[in-house]
């Protein structure tokens, strides 16, 4: 044993707190340890000498230099290694040692970029990345036939293996440090040479079991040629950008009369799309609109990104990972762990808008519904940007997110897109490819689309049978909730985050399944029907009822977030299966019920400061690009975390700094893709599907006041309308695309 087992136990817990999902066997192995040693009587007690020997590796680069100078005479094995090595590697190593002895800058740079045993290992700092860019910048031309370039690799010291622990999660206590050597030498060759160095340095007979060099971690500056798919992706994005630039120039410089600009030019004009995006409507001028929906949508989007950013920060390499232990004990951690409630908020909003606008649309059309057009519009609305995202994530992300540990810190493996992308195009990835979802965070789009397929039948039922159909929807919601409860009980699932709630099997059957996420959507449809029935009516409530409503609403929300707080501690007893089943099932209904009161109070004048905040016009632009932000925020997070060059510090302040940086770049990227791809494609759809054009309404036929704001309302404002006085969009335009939560700490995404 190399370090005190008690210290490794603490590090193991810290690693466990940052891990995706520990299995029960991993917990069992941890519990077999105590703070002073193994429970096994045969285990040897650690000594200070073990720790001192490990610390000798801090200057591994210089020790390699000193040991290697005499290794050929002291170690016969060295000659055997030379015989097996590539001839170019032998020449490069010889030149490297000669130039290092004579203090040539390039050779010193190569050895200077090596990592060390990280300081503060007992505090959770277990990775030293050396200097990645310095290593790869080495480019020494010796002759026309010999050119030495740096190769960067990570050497791993399997501390868990030294202790006889084989659980995969415990590999997170292993030490990693960087090496830099000529690119002509294979990792196997360098591994053998380093073993000879360690043999003399540590005084052990067989150091080969004490470390290994990961082949996949090795990187050179030479980039492989771009694949055909990558070139196509770059060309596709470039075409949209060129069209946007040309049409914007035409719109801004050459067409002074806006009425004479061709519609195709307007579709691709960044100027036109930006004006529509950033235009705001005064809530007082449109009292028939649920303006608080904008705020709810944007706050939920922010909650999603915060949750994902905390997940990435905890999973990243930090110098104080042990702080994760105390972080989980903070009440604030519950806001991150239970950020998936934002998914229920979006489902609630989708169901609400669907029924509120859909029923009004049916009344105007006298019960007629163009179902094929609904489905076509929905598919054309969601699919193109998803297709572009698949290409960008799979082909462009690796090009711009290179770093020393880019593979270790990758959130997801997008290479699976090459064989599972079509499930995303069919929106069935949450059932058909759970283990290999392309763009895992888009599982929510599958849920949203599948529920939308049921939408026309639900609307027609509510239109024809009214309260009876609403009663049937209520029964369906209760049956689905009972099904969810039964699934948890019969499978003995643990639903809390630290006790198995993130296991793939649990996620597949509980979180990804559409029928288990339908309850919030159905609550939204029932509430939408209620709002439709009381539209135009002035609801008078006494102040006692208003206070009771807000207190009950807040109680339901905080109960959902904090009722499982006592189980947030690592290695704390897990809730019983019955407790978990009740929590998981009831919160799926309780959370959207709380949202019902928020919307009701804001619409009917009982929202107070909440309504002022949620209905502020500042949310309107962000609300319009929320779908694009949902698609691209993971891309920004992947880039930010894959490209790190050194371990960071973990704290709430640092995590929020990361969030604001991610959020800012997400907005920039979302805006760029919105005005160049998403909005133009939506405009082309309007041109190609003239049947979706809204008929021109006259003041006499609609009873509309003749003012500019009423006749030129933007689509996103119409999406939130609930009262009958204003013009409503067709049903296929009604439902706003919702935003997914990765389950913020949901690594199974």
């Amino acid at each position: 044993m190399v370090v005190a087992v008690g210290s490794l136990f603490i590090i193991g817990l810290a690693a466990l707190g940052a891990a995706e999902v520990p299995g029960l066997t991993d917990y069992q192995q941890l519990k077999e340890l105590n703070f002073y040693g193994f429970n096994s009587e045969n285990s040897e007690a650690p000594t200070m000498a073990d720790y001192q020997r490990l610390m000798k590796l801090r200057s591994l680069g210089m020790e390699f230099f000193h040991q290697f100078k005499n290794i050929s005479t002291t170690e016969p094995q060295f000659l055997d290694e030379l015989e097996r090595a590539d001839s170019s590697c032998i020449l490069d190593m010889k030149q490297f040692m000669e130039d290092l002895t004579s203090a040539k800058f390039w050779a010193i740079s190569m050895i200077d970029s090596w990592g060390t045993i990280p300081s503060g290992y007992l505090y959770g700092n277990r990775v030293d990345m050396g200097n990645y860019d310095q290593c790869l910048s080495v480019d020494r031309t010796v002759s026309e036939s010999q050119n030495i370039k740096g190769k960067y690799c990570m050497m791993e010291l399997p501390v868990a293996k030294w202790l006889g622990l084989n659980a995969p999660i415990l590999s997170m206590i292993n030490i990693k440090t960087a090496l830099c050597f000529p690119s002509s030498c294979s990792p196997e060759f360098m591994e053998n040479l380093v073993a000879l160095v360690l043999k003399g340095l540590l005084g052990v007979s067989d150091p080969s079991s004490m470390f290994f060099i990961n082949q996949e971690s090795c990187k050179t500056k030479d980039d492989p040629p771009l694949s055909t798919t990558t070139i196509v992706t770059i060309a596709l994005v470039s075409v949209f950008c060129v069209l946007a630039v040309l049409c914007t120039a035409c719109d801004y410089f050459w067409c002074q009369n806006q009425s004479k600009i061709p519609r195709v030019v307007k579709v691709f004009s960044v100027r036109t799309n930006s004006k529509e995006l950033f235009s705001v409507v005064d809530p007082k001028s449109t009292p028939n609109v649920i303006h608080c929906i904008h705020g709810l949508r944007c706050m939920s989007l922010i909650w999603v990104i915060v949750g994902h950013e905390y997940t990435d920060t905890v999973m990243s390499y930090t110098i104080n990972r042990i702080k994760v232990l105390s972080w989980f004990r903070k009440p604030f951690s519950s806001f991150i762990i239970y950020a998936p409630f934002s998914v229920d908020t979006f489902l609630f909003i989708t169901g609400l808008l669907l029924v509120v606008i859909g029923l009004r649309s049916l009344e105007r059309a006298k019960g007629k519904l163009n179902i094929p057009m609904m489905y076509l519009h929905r598919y054309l609305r969601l699919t193109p940007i998803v297709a572009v995202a698949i290409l960008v994530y799979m082909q462009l992300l690796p090009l711009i997110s290179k770093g020393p540990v880019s593979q270790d810190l990758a959130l997801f493996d997008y290479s699976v897109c090459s064989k599972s992308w079509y499930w995303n195009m069919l929106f069935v990835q949450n059932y058909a490819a759970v283990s290999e979802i392309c763009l895992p965070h888009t599982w929510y789009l599958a849920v949203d689309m599948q529920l939308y397929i049921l939408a026309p039948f639900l609307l027609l039922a509510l239109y024809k049978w009214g309260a009876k159909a609403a009663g049937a929807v209520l029964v369906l919601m209760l049956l689905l909730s009972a099904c969810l409860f039964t699934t948890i009980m019969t499978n003995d699932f643990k639903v809390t985050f630290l006790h198995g709630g993130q296991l793939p099997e649990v996620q597949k059957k509980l979180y990804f399944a559409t029928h288990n996420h339908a309850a919030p959507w159905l609550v939204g449809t029932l509430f939408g029907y209620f709002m439709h029935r009381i539209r135009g009516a002035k609801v008078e409530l006494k102040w006692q009822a208003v206070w009771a409503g807000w207190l009950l609403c807040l109680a339901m929300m905080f109960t959902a977030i904090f009722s499982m707080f006592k189980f947030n501690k690592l290695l704390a007893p897990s809730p019983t299966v019955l407790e978990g089943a009740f929590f998981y099932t009831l919160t799926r209904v309780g959370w959207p019920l709380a949202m019902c009161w928020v919307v009701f109070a804001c619409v009917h004048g009982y929202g107070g400061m909440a309504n002022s905040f949620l209905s502020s016009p500042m949310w309107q632009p962000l609300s319009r690009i929320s779908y694009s932000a949902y698609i691209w925020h993971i891309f920004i997070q992947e880039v930010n975390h894959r490209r790190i060059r050194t371990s960071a510090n973990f704290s709430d302040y640092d995590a929020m700094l990361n969030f604001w940086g991610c959020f800012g770049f997400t907005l920039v990227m979302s805006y760029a893709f919105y005005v160049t791809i998403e909005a133009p494609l939506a405009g082309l759809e309007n041109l190609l599907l003239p049947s979706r054009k809204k008929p021109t309404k006259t003041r006499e036929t609609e009873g509309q006041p003749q003012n500019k704001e009423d006749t030129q309302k933007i689509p996103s404002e119409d999406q939130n309308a609930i009262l009958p006085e204003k013009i409503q969009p067709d049903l296929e335009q009604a439902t706003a695309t919702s935003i997914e939560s990765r389950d913020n700490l949901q690594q199974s995404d």
Side-chain angles (χ1 to χ4, degrees):
M1 300 195 327
V2 181
V3 292
V5 175
S7 300
L8 289 176
F9 176 69
I10 298 176
I11 301 300
L13 291 182
L16 181 64
E20 292 184 9
V21 183
L24 297 180
T25 57
D26 300 329
Y27 282 117
Q28 187 62 35
Q29 291 202 40
L30 281 173
K31 290 180 180 179
E32 290 176 358
L33 294 172
N34 56 43
F35 285 98
Y36 303 101
F38 288 108
N39 291 328
S40 172
E41 297 179 357
N42 298 325
S43 300
E44 298 179 1
T47 65
M48 189 59 186
D50 295 326
Y51 181 81
Q52 289 175 332
R53 253 194 332 221
L54 182 64
M55 293 304 103
K56 288 182 181 180
L57 300 181
R58 287 197 185 278
S59 57
L60 185 59
M62 292 308 300
E63 289 293 343
F64 177 82
F65 166 62
H66 292 307
Q67 295 279 342
F68 190 82
K69 286 194 301 182
N70 300 319
I71 202 171
S72 59
T73 59
T74 60
E75 292 290 344
Q77 295 177 2
F78 177 68
L79 298 177
D80 297 335
E81 294 300 330
L82 290 180
E83 292 179 358
R84 290 193 292 266
D86 185 85
S87 59
S88 59
C89 173
I90 298 173
L91 293 175
D92 290 348
M93 286 298 297
K94 180 181 178 181
Q95 187 68 43
F96 169 55
M97 296 309 298
E98 290 179 356
D99 287 358
L100 188 60
T101 303
S102 58
K104 295 293 181 62
F105 181 80
W106 76 271
I108 295 178
S109 295
M110 181 172 285
I111 208 72
D112 184 53
S113 62
W114 282 44
T116 66
I117 297 302
S119 301
Y121 171 68
L122 302 182
Y123 205 55
N125 184 23
R126 64 183 189 87
V127 178
D128 190 317
M129 303 178 198
N131 196 305
Y132 172 79
D133 297 291
Q134 180 177 339
C135 176
L136 296 190
S137 66
V138 172
D139 191 351
R140 165 66 169 171
T141 300
V142 180
S143 64
E144 293 183 359
S145 60
Q146 185 180 10
N147 181 252
I148 303 176
K149 295 183 178 180
K151 176 186 285 187
Y152 179 96
C153 293
M154 294 294 291
M155 181 179 74
E156 187 165 345
L157 307 179
V159 179
K161 184 179 178 181
W162 298 346
L163 299 176
L165 303 176
N166 298 316
I169 190 176
L170 296 180
S171 64
M172 299 191 74
I173 68 173
N174 292 347
I175 296 173
K176 292 185 177 182
T177 190
L179 305 178
C180 183
F181 48 87
S183 60
S184 58
C185 297
S186 68
E188 292 80 11
F189 175 76
M190 289 303 300
E191 194 173 85
N192 292 329
L193 290 186
V194 173
L196 295 178
V197 173
L198 294 182
K199 182 178 179 180
L201 182 63
L202 300 180
V204 295
S205 58
D206 183 18
S208 60
S209 62
M210 299 182 62
F211 77 101
F212 62 90
I213 299 176
N214 189 351
Q215 171 69 38
E216 295 182 355
S217 69
C218 294
K219 299 175 177 65
T220 61
K221 195 172 184 179
D222 295 331
D223 295 324
L226 298 180
S227 66
T228 303
T229 309
T230 302
I231 295 175
V232 170
T233 302
I234 296 175
L236 177 64
V237 175
S238 300
V239 167
F240 278 103
C241 292
V242 169
L243 286 174
V245 170
L246 293 178
C247 292
T248 303
C250 180
D251 182 6
Y252 193 82
F253 294 106
W254 299 318
C255 299
Q256 300 300 323
N257 190 343
Q258 292 290 309
S259 62
K260 295 183 178 180
I261 299 177
R263 295 184 62 185
V264 174
V265 173
K266 283 189 174 183
V267 163
F268 285 95
S269 173
V270 173
R271 180 190 187 188
T272 301
N273 291 328
S274 297
K275 288 173 63 177
E276 294 178 356
L277 174 63
F278 291 110
S279 60
V280 296
V281 176
D282 185 357
K284 295 181 180 179
S285 67
T286 54
N288 61 307
V289 172
I290 311 180
H291 290 280
C292 66
I293 291 294
H294 289 305
L296 285 176
R297 184 184 292 122
C298 295
M299 291 301 295
S300 297
L301 172 65
I302 292 173
W303 197 6
V304 167
I305 301 178
V306 169
H308 287 171
E309 189 57 50
Y310 259 90
T311 302
D312 301 341
T313 301
V314 170
M315 291 298 297
S316 184
Y317 293 137
T318 56
I319 61 174
N320 60 335
R321 180 166 288 186
I322 199 170
K323 282 295 185 179
V324 174
L325 288 166
S326 57
W327 181 81
F328 273 107
R329 294 194 292 267
K330 294 180 180 179
F332 176 74
S333 65
S334 292
F335 287 102
I336 306 302
I337 294 174
Y338 297 106
F341 285 128
S342 57
V343 173
D344 297 337
T345 301
F346 286 118
L347 288 170
F348 163 77
I349 292 174
T350 300
L352 167 64
L353 296 179
L354 172 75
V355 173
V356 162
I357 302 176
L359 289 180
R360 180 57 184 161
S361 191
L362 280 171
E363 287 182 350
R364 293 201 314 271
K366 297 181 179 180
K368 295 181 180 180
L369 199 60
N370 191 342
I371 297 178
M373 187 60 65
M374 283 181 58
Y375 292 156
L376 178 61
H377 167 68
R378 188 66 168 180
Y379 189 81
L380 295 177
R381 169 70 176 88
L382 300 183
T383 307
I385 196 67
V386 171
V388 173
I390 290 175
L391 291 173
V392 172
Y393 273 84
M394 185 170 59
Q395 302 299 328
L396 301 188
L397 180 61
L399 298 180
I400 61 177
S401 61
K402 295 179 180 179
V405 288
S406 56
Q407 292 178 323
D408 293 349
L409 299 184
L411 302 180
F412 305 112
D413 179 14
Y414 299 105
S415 63
V416 300
C417 290
S418 60
K419 56 183 178 181
S420 63
W421 61 270
Y422 52 89
W423 295 122
N424 288 57
M425 297 295 97
L426 297 174
F427 294 98
V428 293
Q429 63 267 35
N430 62 324
Y431 285 111
V434 174
S435 60
E436 294 184 335
I437 298 182
C438 176
L439 304 191
H441 66 291
T442 62
W443 67 269
Y444 178 80
L445 291 183
V447 173
D448 185 82
M449 178 64 79
Q450 291 160 21
L451 291 174
Y452 192 81
I453 292 175
L454 304 177
F457 308 104
L458 182 145
L459 284 170
L460 290 173
L462 290 174
Y463 177 77
K464 292 183 178 180
W465 297 299
K468 293 182 180 179
V473 172
L474 177 62
V475 172
L476 176 61
M477 182 190 68
L478 296 176
L479 289 175
L480 291 175
S481 298
C483 177
L484 176 60
F485 184 89
T486 304
T487 301
I488 298 173
M489 294 297 296
T490 55
N491 290 278
D492 197 24
F493 282 150
K494 302 291 185 180
V495 299
T496 51
F497 176 74
L498 294 179
H499 299 91
Q502 307 303 308
L503 293 174
E505 184 66 17
V506 177
Q507 291 285 289
K508 178 180 179 180
K509 292 187 176 181
L510 297 185
Y511 196 74
F512 290 154
T514 300
H515 59 277
N516 287 333
H517 262 301
W521 186 77
L522 292 174
V523 170
T525 60
L526 290 175
F527 181 66
Y529 177 73
F530 169 74
M531 296 294 284
H532 177 75
R533 291 292 299 269
I534 66 171
R535 68 189 189 280
K538 185 173 179 59
V539 180
E540 297 287 349
L541 295 178
K542 296 183 178 180
W543 68 268
Q544 295 93 336
V546 175
W547 274 96
W550 277 111
L551 290 175
L552 181 60
C553 168
L554 293 175
M556 295 172 69
M557 294 174 65
F558 281 97
T559 298
I561 294 174
F562 292 106
S563 60
M564 290 291 176
F565 172 66
K566 65 179 181 179
F567 301 111
N568 286 2
K569 300 177 182 179
L570 295 176
L571 299 183
S574 65
T576 65
V577 177
L578 183 62
E579 289 173 335
F582 273 117
F583 167 77
Y584 206 81
T585 304
L586 294 179
T587 53
R588 284 281 170 85
V589 178
W591 186 269
L593 286 177
M595 296 297 104
C596 289
W597 171 258
V598 173
V599 174
F600 176 84
C602 290
V603 169
H604 291 281
Y606 302 107
M609 289 188 297
N611 182 52
S612 298
F613 177 73
L614 295 175
S615 299
S616 172
M618 71 176 181
W619 299 117
Q620 294 174 19
L622 177 58
S623 180
R624 294 178 195 124
I625 63 170
S626 58
Y627 175 51
S628 187
Y630 149 65
I631 292 291
W632 299 114
H633 80 279
I634 293 293
F635 183 90
I636 297 297
Q637 290 176 342
E638 288 273 21
V639 172
N640 290 346
H641 288 273
R642 288 190 184 195
R643 62 177 298 278
I644 67 170
R645 263 58 172 174
T646 184
S647 297
N649 180 66
F650 174 75
S651 68
D652 288 319
Y653 182 78
D654 290 288
M656 291 307 297
L657 280 178
N658 293 339
F659 158 72
W660 285 112
C662 170
F663 187 62
F665 278 106
T666 295
L667 294 184
V668 172
M669 188 172 185
S670 300
Y671 166 75
F673 275 90
Y674 177 85
V675 297
T676 58
I677 296 179
E678 185 179 353
L681 290 178
L684 287 178
E685 181 193 353
N686 288 331
L687 294 179
L688 298 176
L689 299 176
S691 59
R692 291 190 58 249
K693 295 178 183 177
K694 291 184 291 185
T696 302
K697 306 291 184 180
T698 63
R699 180 178 180 182
E700 293 74 21
T701 58
E702 286 296 318
Q704 297 294 323
Q706 293 295 315
N707 62 64
K708 184 177 181 180
E709 290 178 335
D710 290 337
T711 58
Q712 296 183 1
K713 287 191 346 177
I714 57 178
S716 61
E717 292 301 319
D718 287 337
Q719 289 176 355
N720 297 344
I722 61 168
L723 301 182
E725 289 78 15
K726 298 290 183 181
I727 300 175
Q728 303 295 332
D730 293 334
L731 176 59
E732 58 266 24
Q733 294 176 292
T735 311
T737 302
S738 305
I739 311 300
E740 182 263 344
S741 163
R742 139 179 140 47
D743 55 308
N744 312 309
L745 294 172
Q746 304 302 326
Q747 289 306 310
S748 56
D749 282 4

